[in-house]
Amino acid sequence: MLAVHLVSFFFSKLQEDPTKKVDRFLYAMRLHDDQLKDISARFQAEMKKGLSAESNVTATVKMLPTHVRSTPVGSEKGQFLALDLGGSKFKVLQVKVREGMGIRRGGVEMEEKTYPIPGELLAGRGAELFDHVSESLKDFLHEKNISLEKKHPLAFTFSFPCEQSTLDQGKLLNWSKNYQVRGFQGKDVVQALREAIDRTGGMNIEVLAMVNDTVATMMTCGFDDNYCEVGLIIGTGTNACYMEELRHVDLVEGDEGRMCVNTEWGGFGDDGALNDYITEFDKDVDAASNNPGKQIFEKMVSGMYLGELVRLVVLKMAKQGLLFDGFVSHALRTKGKITTADVASMEEYKNGLKNTKDILTGLDLNPSPDDCIAVQHVTTIVSFRSSNLVSAGLAAILTRIKQNRNLRALRITVGVDGTVYKTHPQYPKRLHKVVRRLLPECHVRFVLSDSGSSKGAALVTAVAQRLASQRRKVDETLSPFRLSHEQLQLVKARMRTGLEAGLKTKGPSAIKMLPSFVYHTPDGTEHGKYLGLDLGGTNFRALLVKFKKGLQNNTRLYHKLYTIPQEIMQGTGEDLFDHIVDCISDFLDYMGLKNARLPAGFTFSFPCEQTAIDTGTLVSWTKGFKATDCEGHDVVSLLREAIKRRNEFDLDIAAVINDTVGTMMSCAYEDPQCEVGLIAGTGSNVCYMEEVRNIEKTEQKKGQMEREEGTPEGEGDKQHDGTEGEKNLGDAKIQKMCINTEWGGLGDDGSLDDIITPYDVEVDQNSFNNGKQRFEKLTSGMYLGEVVRQVLLDLTRGGLLFRGHVTEPLKTRGIFETKYLSQIESDRLALLQVRSILQGLGLESTCDDSIIVKEVCGAVSRRAAQLCGAGMAAVVDKIRENRGLDHLNITVGVDGALYKLHPHFSGVLQETARVLAPQCNVTFLPSDEGSGKGAALITAGAILKKKM
């Protein structure tokens, strides 16, 4: 019976599929998807560690910044020399990049020559190696009849780990690929090349860029495919690079844009992170290498080691009697006798088994057909593990890119080079399949680099030159927006001159300096219920405000917001005021006050000539309003007439004020030092408490001022002493009046022509009030977005943005609203979100485009804030000098979306005012309830005065 079992056992062994025993023997090398996902997660953790300044020193995946900040866009051009050093041979090339706008329109022509590197130089001194490279370069110039006198930009592909602080500098971290050049680790490779070129002499060479072969591969493929943002090498060595968000690259200053990071992923596992996946064969390969304990991942996947891994597996199987009937030849025992080329040959689809037999026979073995099948299966498992591990690493990189950009799905191209990928018949297909299985939500395209890394190095240089040229042109475009201290001092002085001129009775003034007939800020005695009506832009607001006497912090406010359609803004005056009354009627219904005759204050945020607190003649519309039959008319009368036409309710309109005055009053209710109001929103304006003695208006207006305060007509002049500048009105002395400056008119007389740009001129010419409100058009929310659009349009026409493609949206006036400036300039906003905003406007942008757009927005908004700050400095310094003070403490009440919502506007404005008015301590207090509350306060004051 035992004999029967033994016969059966041996018969079954004879019949066993030879691949099964290999599967059992190499079980640890067969990785399933859960294991690959685990490896991918470990690699992601190592990437994060390598990017951090705190942990980079101990990271095995070094994540080296390359200072390559952009992939090609197709408009690169130039003629370059290139050196490609990374193996037992190196290349010298001449690369011509033809100019062309857009991907695929340009082209690249190359001439090259390969030079061997003598074996002794691989272990010699660094200077000797680079002298050989330099002499070969000179030989190439002679052979190709390239001028030695002319300056030639040179790109250097150096395929070893380097730490770069700039694009044209790199310190060697360590040699690999059998290079053991002495005394060179830690040295600047580019400097060594420059010194060698100098020693050789007779050449005019400028080394502009040094890149890794992985980066060069990405750039080569990126020239034909603008989705290519990953480079992959699977050859003698292995490595990957990709475009990382700069905000995550701690080792480089700045957080705008992207930078290519050379992962140097070959070191993954050097700290034991892959110990549970390392086999005894990997350990043997590592122990016999030139760098034991280093480049563990590379030794598991790269062409330098795959053949040796196969040899060690076949050797052990033979020793255990699983192959060749236990016979082991001397050749099979010899390191390096099976190469990676042999591995590829054995896995050929049609001739693989024949090639396997030939290779094994060449090793003095006599393989059976089953031996050939088994050895071929060994090569399949070893190479399949390599592609699986590369897939796991690549999946980690793609996952990080997708997460960085907050995308559900990712479309991306991977540029690939390397002999394993190019020559192994099954490798690419396996790699693509596994990557797509691990990341089903990513559309990944693989593009083979057909021109090697030299072309990529030249393209890096071409891109660097394009970016430098682009940078210069963008700087030139934006330089007029960058105001110097001296220019801001001039603006301050011109504003001061304009303020003084506007207060006088004679002579024209661009700054109107309109009296408001508001003589006092709130004192806490205000009480009762009042309506506030606020018209200042595209919205109308109705408010009910309840004040409790003596309780400044106990105010109740109810309000409702109504839209003013554009057709109403630009229709007839009757339609506009009827619409306002419709809104008031709705609000009174909403509050249940239809039958109550409440006192009301009307905030009307347009320039008005006032002769009393409750009259205001519209001087001119601003902010896009063009309603007919309003300019030159009393807006309070227009409102009263509209109320009569509706005949549903009645209001006692006790005061009409500007929104700036309302803002000042609202904030003064909280802070008694508030004597200035600032609006920085759709429009731009300032009011402040001016000394009455400085207001040289007509006698009629003086008389009206006196009647407003209850002084018998004619007594004002008798009681004015001419020195103190006070009006003695009964028991009260009027010293100040709030002046609505209407400072937006500064520059209407040409006083700002030296800082006005062609873009401002274009905006002005296309506005409703050409030649008017020039300062407002430089500073207010209604215009800043349009200024930005004009700049973007100019940059695009110059080929510096959006690939030079001027789209219909970009040509559409008003499409770039100022709110986009606030969003785009947010410090918390990633460039991907900037791109999303631009895409929403129909502007397809690259990362580089987004950076430029953000810079344009910043230049325009910063100038606006600085100009407002210069104007404010003029106002507060005037108040200080009016009062004869060495130092002034004052509060400015502020309202407006630009001030409140823009991330940097308020800070720049405040800093500019501080620098230009150093003797003034200015506190800026945002208004919580806006100018409507201020109108109610003024109404309360006017009503109380009448009762007194």
Side-chain angles (χ1 to χ4, degrees):
M1 194 68 178
L2 178 61
V4 171
H5 281 301
L6 286 172
V7 170
S8 176
F9 173 75
F10 284 114
F11 182 77
S12 67
K13 294 295 279 183
L14 289 170
Q15 297 299 314
E16 183 180 24
D17 181 348
T19 62
K20 298 291 185 185
K21 61 183 176 184
V22 175
D23 286 341
R24 287 195 299 271
F25 194 77
L26 294 181
Y27 175 78
M29 282 193 178
R30 295 178 65 84
L31 303 174
H32 54 74
D33 282 1
D34 286 344
Q35 290 174 304
L36 294 179
K37 290 175 181 176
D38 173 52
I39 292 168
S40 185
R42 296 183 193 189
F43 187 74
Q44 284 186 65
E46 286 298 309
M47 290 171 70
K48 190 173 181 180
K49 189 176 177 183
L51 288 169
S52 168
E54 294 179 359
S55 53
N56 175 267
V57 174
T58 59
T60 57
V61 178
K62 286 300 180 185
M63 305 295 287
L64 302 172
T66 66
H67 297 271
V68 172
R69 295 173 182 263
S70 174
T71 52
V73 299
S75 61
E76 291 77 15
K77 61 180 179 178
Q79 186 168 303
F80 309 92
L81 294 173
L83 289 175
D84 191 344
L85 178 63
S88 57
K89 299 178 286 186
F90 75 96
K91 290 181 182 178
V92 183
L93 307 93
Q94 184 182 43
V95 184
K96 297 177 182 178
V97 183
R98 295 197 306 272
E99 183 177 8
M101 295 301 294
I103 293 293
R104 298 185 185 279
R105 293 192 186 176
V108 177
E109 299 173 5
M110 296 193 299
E111 290 186 83
E112 65 179 64
K113 185 175 180 180
T114 300
Y115 292 86
I117 299 179
E120 62 271 17
L121 292 183
L122 298 180
R125 291 171 49 245
E128 294 170 347
L129 172 65
F130 279 92
D131 282 344
H132 175 66
V133 170
S134 176
E135 287 159 8
S136 301
L137 172 63
K138 190 172 185 179
D139 173 77
F140 179 82
L141 295 177
H142 277 299
E143 183 177 311
K144 302 298 180 182
N145 293 317
I146 298 171
S147 169
L148 296 177
E149 288 76 28
K150 182 181 176 183
K151 180 176 279 191
H152 299 287
L154 183 140
F156 186 24
T157 303
F158 187 72
S159 306
F160 303 92
C162 285
E163 183 180 280
Q164 291 186 252
S165 57
T166 61
L167 189 59
D168 63 347
Q169 181 271 348
K171 293 181 180 178
L172 178 67
L173 295 178
N174 55 268
W175 291 109
S176 57
K177 308 172 190 173
N178 287 333
Y179 273 69
Q180 293 178 301
V181 179
R182 301 190 307 273
F184 208 73
Q185 198 162 319
K187 298 288 181 66
D188 181 358
V189 175
V190 175
Q191 185 59 31
L193 176 61
R194 287 171 176 151
E195 290 170 357
I197 290 171
D198 287 343
R199 286 194 296 271
T200 301
M203 295 181 287
N204 191 357
I205 303 293
E206 182 181 15
V207 186
L208 293 180
M210 185 195 81
V211 297
N212 183 277
D213 55 345
T214 322
V215 180
T217 295
M218 180 190 75
M219 297 296 279
T220 297
C221 297
F223 190 69
D224 295 319
D225 184 338
N226 61 347
Y227 285 98
C228 184
E229 295 187 80
V230 180
L232 175 64
I233 298 289
I234 316 166
T236 306
T238 184
N239 196 12
C241 70
Y242 71 102
M243 296 301 290
E244 173 62 79
E245 305 302 311
L246 192 55
R247 67 183 183 275
H248 295 150
V249 186
D250 283 1
L251 300 179
V252 177
E253 288 186 7
D255 59 2
E256 296 292 352
R258 295 177 185 148
M259 179 177 287
C260 182
V261 169
N262 167 22
T263 67
E264 287 297 336
W265 74 2
F268 179 40
D270 290 3
D271 59 352
L274 293 175
N275 281 358
D276 46 343
Y277 292 103
I278 290 173
T279 67
E280 58 182 297
F281 309 107
D282 298 309
K283 293 176 182 177
D284 289 343
V285 165
D286 179 50
S289 68
N290 293 328
N291 54 349
K294 302 292 183 184
Q295 299 295 103
I296 297 299
F297 187 73
E298 184 169 76
K299 289 168 184 172
M300 297 172 78
V301 303
S302 78
M304 190 167 184
Y305 303 99
L306 290 184
E308 185 63 8
L309 280 169
V310 168
R311 185 189 71 84
L312 290 173
V313 172
V314 171
L315 175 62
K316 185 162 186 178
M317 289 185 73
K319 286 181 177 180
Q320 292 186 7
L322 298 173
L323 289 173
F324 320 126
D325 294 328
F327 175 73
V328 179
S329 68
H330 177 71
L332 185 59
R333 295 178 185 274
T334 305
K335 179 183 176 184
K337 282 295 184 178
I338 297 180
T339 67
T340 299
D342 294 333
V343 173
S345 178
M346 285 189 271
E347 288 194 70
E348 280 186 17
Y349 179 66
K350 290 184 178 179
N351 301 316
L353 283 175
K354 178 183 179 300
N355 294 340
T356 302
K357 183 176 181 179
D358 291 345
I359 290 166
L360 293 175
T361 301
L363 293 174
D364 302 324
L365 298 168
N366 185 23
S368 68
D370 280 357
D371 287 336
C372 291
I373 291 171
V375 171
Q376 186 187 51
H377 196 50
V378 169
T379 64
T380 298
I381 291 175
V382 170
S383 64
F384 212 136
R385 184 188 69 158
S386 168
S387 65
N388 277 340
L389 289 171
V390 170
S391 298
L394 196 53
I397 290 172
L398 297 178
T399 298
R400 180 170 179 86
I401 293 173
K402 184 167 72 73
Q403 290 173 347
N404 280 348
R405 302 177 190 181
N406 196 28
L407 298 173
R408 283 187 175 182
L410 175 69
R411 178 183 176 184
I412 199 162
T413 297
V414 179
V416 197
D417 203 354
T419 53
V420 173
Y421 188 88
K422 285 181 172 179
T423 62
H424 192 290
Q426 308 298 326
Y427 203 101
K429 185 177 179 180
R430 292 170 182 167
L431 174 67
H432 304 170
K433 185 176 180 180
V434 176
V435 168
R436 287 165 182 154
R437 197 168 69 236
L438 293 177
L439 291 174
E441 67 277 19
C442 293
H443 177 71
V444 187
R445 180 173 181 245
F446 292 84
V447 174
L448 181 65
S449 171
D450 58 355
S451 307
S453 53
S454 310
K455 172 181 171 182
L459 285 168
V460 167
T461 309
V463 167
Q465 288 190 333
R466 169 177 63 80
L467 292 177
S469 174
Q470 182 186 64
R471 177 75 270 149
R472 286 193 300 272
K473 291 175 182 176
V474 171
D475 283 343
E476 288 169 7
T477 300
L478 296 182
S479 63
F481 292 95
R482 293 169 177 146
L483 303 178
S484 66
H485 180 76
E486 290 71 26
Q487 286 175 304
L488 291 171
Q489 286 281 18
L490 282 173
V491 172
K492 176 189 173 184
R494 290 165 186 171
M495 179 66 79
R496 177 64 181 269
T497 300
L499 297 175
E500 301 284 3
L503 289 171
K504 298 185 183 302
T505 58
K506 294 181 181 179
S509 173
I511 302 178
K512 297 301 181 188
M513 301 298 283
L514 304 173
S516 70
F517 295 86
V518 172
Y519 303 103
H520 308 284
T521 52
D523 59 10
T525 62
E526 297 80 10
H527 59 279
K529 291 194 296 186
Y530 304 90
L531 279 180
L533 311 174
D534 191 347
L535 178 67
T538 55
N539 293 316
F540 171 75
R541 194 162 73 128
L543 310 92
L544 177 67
V545 187
K546 297 179 180 179
F547 300 107
K548 289 192 177 181
K549 188 173 182 179
L551 298 174
Q552 288 177 288
N553 294 320
N554 195 351
T555 303
R556 287 190 153 184
L557 187 147
Y558 310 87
H559 73 97
K560 201 170 180 183
L561 200 64
Y562 300 89
T563 301
I564 306 288
Q566 189 165 14
E567 62 269 20
I568 296 291
M569 292 168 59
Q570 297 175 15
T572 67
E574 189 171 299
D575 287 344
L576 172 62
F577 281 92
D578 283 347
H579 180 75
I580 291 170
V581 171
D582 287 345
C583 298
I584 297 170
S585 177
D586 176 79
F587 181 69
L588 293 174
D589 278 337
Y590 175 71
M591 297 301 301
L593 295 170
K594 206 58 168 289
N595 297 319
R597 190 175 190 274
L598 292 176
F602 186 20
T603 302
F604 188 76
S605 308
F606 304 91
C608 286
E609 286 274 8
Q610 288 187 251
T611 56
I613 191 68
D614 60 351
T615 63
T617 301
L618 177 62
V619 175
S620 60
W621 284 118
T622 57
K623 308 174 195 173
F625 276 73
K626 284 188 72 177
T628 59
D629 300 321
C630 293
E631 293 180 351
H633 294 272
D634 176 17
V635 295
V636 176
S637 296
L638 293 175
L639 180 58
R640 286 172 176 154
E641 288 166 7
I643 292 171
K644 282 182 183 178
R645 281 195 297 274
R646 188 172 183 93
N647 197 28
E648 282 186 5
F649 59 87
D650 197 9
L651 294 181
D652 177 13
I653 302 172
V656 60
I657 62 166
N658 184 274
D659 56 345
T660 324
V661 180
T663 296
M664 181 192 76
M665 295 295 284
S666 178
C667 292
Y669 193 63
E670 311 297 331
D671 181 349
Q673 283 195 319
C674 183
E675 294 188 79
V676 182
L678 166 67
I679 297 292
T682 305
S684 177
N685 195 14
V686 157
C687 71
Y688 71 101
M689 297 302 291
E690 176 59 84
E691 306 299 309
V692 168
R693 67 177 185 270
N694 295 332
I695 306 172
E696 300 177 15
K697 296 296 180 180
T698 64
E699 289 302 314
Q700 179 184 2
K701 288 184 180 176
K702 286 183 180 178
Q704 180 61 48
M705 288 161 54
E706 293 158 2
R707 289 194 297 276
E708 185 66 28
E709 286 294 327
T711 304
E713 191 169 353
E715 288 187 18
D717 289 334
K718 294 175 185 176
Q719 294 170 345
H720 183 250
D721 62 15
T723 56
E724 293 297 322
E726 299 176 351
K727 291 193 179 298
N728 196 2
L729 305 173
D731 294 329
K733 291 182 180 180
I734 298 179
Q735 294 177 303
K736 301 170 188 172
M737 180 198 284
C738 182
I739 292 292
N740 166 23
T741 66
E742 290 296 336
W743 76 358
L746 179 68
D748 292 1
D749 55 0
S751 61
L752 295 179
D753 284 358
D754 54 336
I755 66 167
I756 285 175
T757 71
Y759 310 108
D760 302 311
V761 172
E762 191 73 24
V763 169
D764 177 53
Q765 288 177 347
N766 289 316
S767 67
F768 292 124
N769 54 349
N770 186 2
K772 302 295 184 183
Q773 298 295 102
R774 301 307 299 273
F775 187 73
E776 184 169 70
K777 289 170 183 171
L778 303 178
T779 58
S780 77
M782 186 166 186
Y783 301 99
L784 297 188
E786 184 61 10
V787 175
V788 167
R789 188 187 69 85
Q790 290 291 341
V791 178
L792 300 184
L793 189 59
D794 186 44
L795 291 173
T796 305
R797 286 171 174 157
L800 301 173
L801 264 182
F802 308 132
R803 304 189 191 283
H805 183 45
V806 179
T807 59
E808 283 304 316
L810 193 58
K811 291 189 283 187
T812 304
R813 190 157 60 92
I815 194 172
F816 205 97
E817 298 174 40
T818 299
K819 68 179 181 182
Y820 297 128
L821 275 72
S822 297
Q823 294 171 11
I824 286 170
E825 290 187 67
S826 171
D827 294 329
R828 297 187 298 275
L829 199 68
L831 284 176
L832 183 71
Q833 293 165 292
V834 175
R835 291 179 70 181
S836 177
I837 292 169
L838 295 174
Q839 285 168 357
L841 294 172
L843 303 172
E844 291 296 326
S845 67
T846 65
C847 177
D848 293 336
D849 291 335
S850 300
I851 293 172
I852 293 173
V853 170
K854 190 168 185 176
E855 191 173 356
V856 172
C857 291
V860 172
S861 64
R862 181 176 178 80
R863 181 190 67 165
Q866 287 180 315
L867 289 172
C868 285
M872 183 57 67
V875 171
V876 295
D877 251 352
K878 184 177 192 319
I879 294 172
R880 181 183 62 79
E881 292 175 18
N882 282 349
R883 301 177 189 180
L885 299 173
D886 292 331
H887 189 85
L888 174 70
N889 292 315
I890 197 165
T891 297
V892 176
V894 196
D895 203 356
L898 192 58
Y899 185 92
K900 289 182 173 179
L901 300 181
H902 191 282
H904 307 300
F905 189 94
S906 60
V908 174
L909 188 158
Q910 292 174 30
E911 175 62 14
T912 305
R914 185 190 66 77
V915 170
L916 295 181
Q919 292 169 276
C920 300
N921 179 27
V922 186
T923 300
F924 289 82
L925 177 63
S927 169
D928 290 332
E929 289 107 354
S931 54
K933 178 181 174 183
L937 281 164
I938 291 171
T939 302
I943 296 295
L944 291 173
K945 281 273 190 288
K946 286 180 181 179
K947 289 180 179 178
M948 293 170 61

